[in-house]
Amino acid sequence: MSETIQTLLSEERRFAPSPEFAAQANANDPAIYERADADYEAWWKGWADQLDWFEPYHTVCEFKAPNAKWFLGGKLNAAYNCVDRHAERTPDKRAIVFEGEPGDSRTITYRELKDEVSRFANALMQLGVERGDRVCIYMPMVPELAIAMLACARIGAAHSVVFGGFSADSLQERTNDAQCKVIVTADGGWRRGSIVPLKRTVDEALEKGCPSVHKVIVLERIGPDATNPVAMVSGRDIWWSEIVSVQSTDCPCASMDSEDLLYILYTSGSTGKPKGITHTTGGYLTGTMATSKLALDLKDDDLHFCTADCGWVTGHSYIVYGPMACGATVLMYEGAPDTPEKDRFWRIIEKHRATILYTAPTAIRAFMKWGAEYPRRCDLSSLRLLGSVGEPINPEAWIWYQEEIGGGRCPVIDTWWQTETGAMMITPLPGITETKPGSATRTFPGISARIYNEEGMDITPADGSRHEVGGFLVLDRPWPSMTRGIFNDPDRFEKTYWSKFPGRYFAGDGAKLDEDGYFWLLGRVDDIMLVAGHNISTMEVESALVSHPAVAEAAVIGKTHELKGQAIAAFVILRSDHRHDGDPAHLVNEIKAHVAHKIGPIARPDDVFITAELPKTRSGKIMRRLLRDVAEGRALGDTTTLADPNVVASLKDKYESTE
Ligand code: 6R9
């Protein structure tokens, strides 16, 4: 059986959970894996039964690929489960601790959250929003963003959150695709000390044409500011404070079907128009709650700091729905990690005594590049668990995170999942799983993942005959939080995810499975390189590069090569604390030799370019496709999802000047 991806890098370090952590963990009995596997429907039912249902469901799951339904016949409300039931039982418990970029701070209890969500829900209804409608939310990371999401859920309208960094064109396209009736925005948000003029971008989008939108609600986040004029269109635009102040705090929760649409969230992908990924109510809440409890190990006294923006799925699932379904306290931070200084996250953790930190490899690599002096000057002793999501985390970044942020004391969970999967799919359970730096370890209980080869064969070794295999990552069993499809485009849904291996969910990622049955994510399969007949993952070469003491971050691509098919080109960012005397050509040679030594001569890069920045999506994922365009001298493709278009231009200059 042929392997589709060869794996070269080996990592020997192991970290077992400490007895102290295991003793207090929500999950510490390894038998739960077998229990969940033996009857996954019963496993998920056990979690669904921890939600409050208005009417019980009669069937756990109905699945006919690509369509799944969970908890059929059940009626519930997401806002009831995330807010009201806690407001009844623990009214004074903090729901949200907010830290604004300028340093303002607020705390909202569950009782207050219930009142605010109810008021805003009434405001939406006053503006004509009805059950089944869609509402676009284009806001900074302030508590009102979560309030708006939960208010939609309360009245049975679906939200479509658009990240506040997106342009007017992106906002227009998403608003029109979802046919949103109302846009909720703000006069602006703070980012690196500047005002992000959100309302002006909404105006621009509406001028370009969003015929379904008839009202715009504008939160006063910034307030009057001469540099940020806000024009209100009479009859269309209304201030948040004006409409909310006159509403009652009494607003019944709509009784929603388990399969009613909770939200749409657009993912860009590398080509084509954005896909409106849909999630429904009962299954999504079940999956996000279960993973929050077992993987994030959320407890009553935790303060959970997830650094994602609510414009991404991580914010939906692990700031709002998952933690709040558990009645936990979440920390929301509005701004940049380097404002006013590069220690901002550490200052926030010290100030609020955060216990869990959930962030992304792109951030961790930036912290490494900035140097350990920033976390070292803060008291991070409140932290007890660290999580990572968004990209493969290179082993060196994992170790740095564990040592410098976790003080060698906190377990690290590398969690693999997608907007489409709704909740974590592959992750350690921190009280059970021995971790290996760079591996997302095992599937969450109840989830089944397999490795397929290019020919569509399942090459996952049978239990007991363990050996390493590399190929395509496939999920072959339904799970409650799986997307119910692309909004209004069932054909594209089937084609994108279910046609490569008919009847199986293909995630688009490559992975290897090691002898212990641990998964190692190897990046998007479109990025895999074919060098002299060997399929090599970008992830492995990048990890070897990052293990060189001078390198903080690396992106690797396969560049067309006459003889080898593709040759490896690497773009690297150096650590700021790195001192290298003399000729940069020596450093480049040293780095090439280091990779050849770490994983073998086949992976030795032909080119290594030292750069200050890498092109990234707005959610922080490296855009290798653009680097390939640069390296192969092509005109640049679609760059609308690029965080900073100047990055590619400067790389291009650099590349051309060396050729
Ligand atoms: C949650 C989120 C999904 C894609 C996914 C994969 C990459 C996410 C990862 C990871 C390796 C991890 N990804 N987590 N790769 N290890 N722990 O990021 O959703 O924005 O939809 O991206 O991100 O390539 O397919 P989304």
Side-chain angles (χ1 to χ4, degrees):
M1 274 180 289
S2 74
E3 280 192 49
T4 294
I5 306 170
Q6 297 183 357
T7 57
L8 303 165
L9 201 64
S10 75
E11 169 61 55
E12 299 299 330
R13 290 168 286 192
R14 304 277 181 279
F15 298 90
S18 70
E20 302 78 53
F21 191 96
Q24 61 78 59
N26 286 339
N28 47 23
D29 176 8
I32 64 169
Y33 283 103
E34 278 159 45
R35 262 209 319 275
D37 263 344
D39 186 348
Y40 68 88
E41 289 195 10
W43 162 257
W44 291 119
K45 180 182 187 316
W47 287 99
D49 291 346
Q50 295 183 37
L51 293 169
D52 280 31
W53 296 82
F54 299 149
E55 283 176 40
Y57 52 89
H58 54 72
T59 305
V60 173
C61 175
E62 221 179 69
F63 178 62
K64 191 169 175 302
N67 299 307
K69 289 185 177 152
W70 283 84
F71 312 117
L72 288 84
K75 307 268 187 239
L76 78 171
N77 183 286
Y80 184 84
N81 277 283
C82 293
V83 184
D84 294 46
R85 61 177 183 156
H86 313 302
E88 278 158 31
R89 288 167 215 165
T90 51
D92 298 323
K93 182 168 176 179
R94 297 175 307 169
I96 301 175
V97 175
F98 169 68
E99 170 96 3
E101 194 187 80
D104 52 324
S105 188
R106 262 159 81 194
T107 293
I108 298 175
T109 64
Y110 271 100
R111 184 208 324 261
E112 290 162 342
L113 185 63
K114 178 176 176 233
D115 289 349
E116 294 308 315
V117 168
S118 301
R119 278 206 186 95
F120 195 67
N122 281 326
L124 289 172
M125 287 204 286
Q126 186 191 317
L127 296 182
V129 177
E130 292 170 8
R131 189 188 170 108
D133 285 342
R134 272 85 53 208
V135 172
C136 173
I137 301 177
Y138 184 68
M139 292 183 84
M141 268 295 283
V142 294
E144 286 79 2
L145 168 48
I147 290 168
M149 291 165 71
L150 292 161
C152 290
R154 191 171 195 91
I155 61 173
H159 51 74
S160 163
V161 182
V162 175
F163 173 57
F166 273 127
S167 65
D169 283 333
S170 307
L171 178 62
Q172 183 204 17
E173 185 175 25
R174 288 160 173 76
T175 304
N176 289 343
D177 187 76
Q179 290 287 293
C180 296
K181 253 194 188 169
V182 167
I183 300 184
V184 186
T185 188
D187 54 1
W190 291 105
R191 184 86 192 168
R192 293 214 166 81
S194 306
I195 298 169
V196 182
L198 296 164
K199 172 61 166 65
R200 252 184 287 158
T201 309
V202 170
D203 291 342
E204 233 183 280
L206 292 177
E207 273 157 33
K208 289 169 189 280
C210 298
S212 60
V213 175
H214 61 93
K215 295 283 175 195
V216 177
I217 305 177
V218 188
L219 173 76
E220 300 94 326
R221 164 65 184 140
I222 307 288
D225 185 301
T227 65
N228 182 48
V230 174
M232 298 292 276
V233 174
S234 111
R236 187 195 74 187
D237 301 352
I238 181 153
W239 292 108
W240 176 293
S241 66
E242 261 171 45
I243 188 155
V244 162
S245 60
V246 298
Q247 305 298 327
S248 148
T249 56
D250 196 16
C251 176
C253 289
S255 176
M256 303 304 290
D257 193 273
S258 177
E259 280 299 327
D260 275 337
L261 184 63
L262 179 62
Y263 69 78
I264 305 171
L265 182 59
Y266 287 86
T267 61
S268 7
S270 51
T271 50
K273 79 179 188 67
K275 301 188 277 284
I277 300 300
T278 60
H279 283 290
T280 57
T281 310
Y284 176 77
L285 282 181
T286 302
T288 53
M289 179 179 66
T291 46
S292 295
K293 280 238 170 100
L294 299 193
L296 292 175
D297 195 42
L298 261 189
K299 310 260 173 42
D300 263 350
D301 50 1
D302 273 314
L303 179 59
H304 171 53
F305 182 17
C306 168
T307 69
D309 191 284
C310 282
W312 315 119
V313 73
T314 305
H316 282 64
S317 297
Y318 298 108
I319 295 178
V320 181
Y321 290 109
M324 292 191 186
C326 301
T329 307
V330 299
L331 201 155
M332 261 179 109
Y333 170 55
E334 175 186 28
D338 54 354
T339 306
E341 281 199 68
K342 294 189 170 76
D343 61 1
R344 186 62 188 272
F345 280 8
W346 324 126
R347 292 280 172 221
I348 291 173
I349 291 167
E350 178 178 72
K351 174 173 165 193
H352 298 286
R353 309 282 307 150
T355 57
I356 302 172
L357 175 65
Y358 191 34
T359 194
T362 180
I364 298 165
R365 293 184 305 243
F367 303 144
M368 287 172 73
K369 182 173 70 184
W370 296 340
E373 71 255 34
Y374 296 102
R376 280 185 194 163
R377 66 191 188 197
C378 297
D379 175 6
L380 303 181
S381 61
S382 57
L383 287 174
R384 65 179 196 87
L385 177 68
L386 304 176
S388 170
V389 59
E391 281 184 295
I393 176 166
N394 320 108
E396 288 322 308
W398 193 106
I399 294 282
W400 189 93
Y401 192 32
Q402 196 221 31
E403 284 175 0
E404 295 294 344
I405 309 304
R409 162 189 89 247
C410 306
V412 175
I413 56 166
D414 171 12
T415 62
W416 177 87
W417 58 293
Q418 307 177 294
T419 306
E420 296 84 342
T421 69
M424 300 167 185
M425 295 285 106
I426 305 181
T427 173
L429 297 184
I432 298 177
T433 317
E434 182 178 68
T435 52
K436 305 182 186 183
S439 169
T441 74
R442 303 179 60 178
T443 47
F444 188 80
I447 301 297
S448 169
R450 317 284 301 174
I451 305 289
Y452 277 52
N453 69 7
E454 181 66 54
E455 291 79 49
M457 274 164 80
D458 184 345
I459 56 170
T460 317
D463 281 345
S465 70
R466 290 290 186 206
H467 59 272
E468 202 171 282
V469 290
F472 299 117
L473 182 66
V474 163
L475 300 172
D476 68 339
R477 192 194 273 167
W479 65 97
S481 65
M482 64 199 285
T483 177
R484 302 303 191 257
I486 298 175
F487 189 67
N488 280 343
D489 202 345
D491 293 343
R492 187 172 180 205
F493 179 55
E494 168 131 35
K495 195 161 161 268
T496 310
Y497 305 99
W498 301 86
S499 66
K500 188 166 177 74
F501 308 115
R504 304 274 182 272
Y505 177 82
F506 172 47
D509 286 343
K512 84 174 177 196
L513 192 64
D514 72 14
E515 305 81 7
D516 300 324
Y518 276 40
F519 288 92
W520 299 73
L521 276 299
L522 298 173
R524 304 294 295 168
V525 293
D526 308 342
D527 291 335
I528 305 273
M529 303 172 289
L530 186 58
V531 182
H534 300 270
N535 280 294
I536 297 177
S537 105
T538 51
M539 158 67 185
E540 296 201 312
V541 181
E542 285 161 8
S543 290
L545 286 160
V546 175
S547 73
H548 186 281
V551 178
E553 173 149 33
V556 156
I557 53 137
K559 174 191 169 182
T560 309
H561 185 279
E562 281 174 32
L563 301 176
K564 297 193 253 189
Q566 284 186 318
I568 299 176
F571 297 79
V572 303
I573 299 180
L574 300 182
R575 288 200 199 204
S576 64
D577 55 5
H578 163 73
R579 299 278 165 271
H580 195 274
D581 335 301
D583 190 351
H586 290 153
L587 178 61
V588 163
N589 283 333
E590 197 185 300
I591 291 173
K592 289 181 185 175
H594 177 78
V595 175
H597 172 72
K598 276 291 246 206
I599 51 184
I602 178 77
R604 183 190 169 94
D606 279 28
D607 300 311
V608 171
F609 297 97
I610 293 170
T611 173
E613 294 290 341
L614 290 169
K616 296 204 177 144
T617 64
R618 284 160 204 265
S619 64
K621 298 187 209 290
I622 297 172
M623 287 180 89
R624 292 181 190 75
R625 176 177 57 84
L626 293 184
L627 291 172
R628 270 199 305 272
D629 289 345
V630 168
E632 295 178 350
R634 264 194 307 278
L636 295 180
D638 181 14
T639 57
T640 47
T641 53
L642 187 67
D644 177 1
N646 295 325
V647 169
V648 184
S650 64
L651 278 169
K652 207 169 172 204
D653 290 346
K654 179 161 199 147
Y655 201 98
E656 279 161 4
S657 68
T658 59
E659 276 195 325

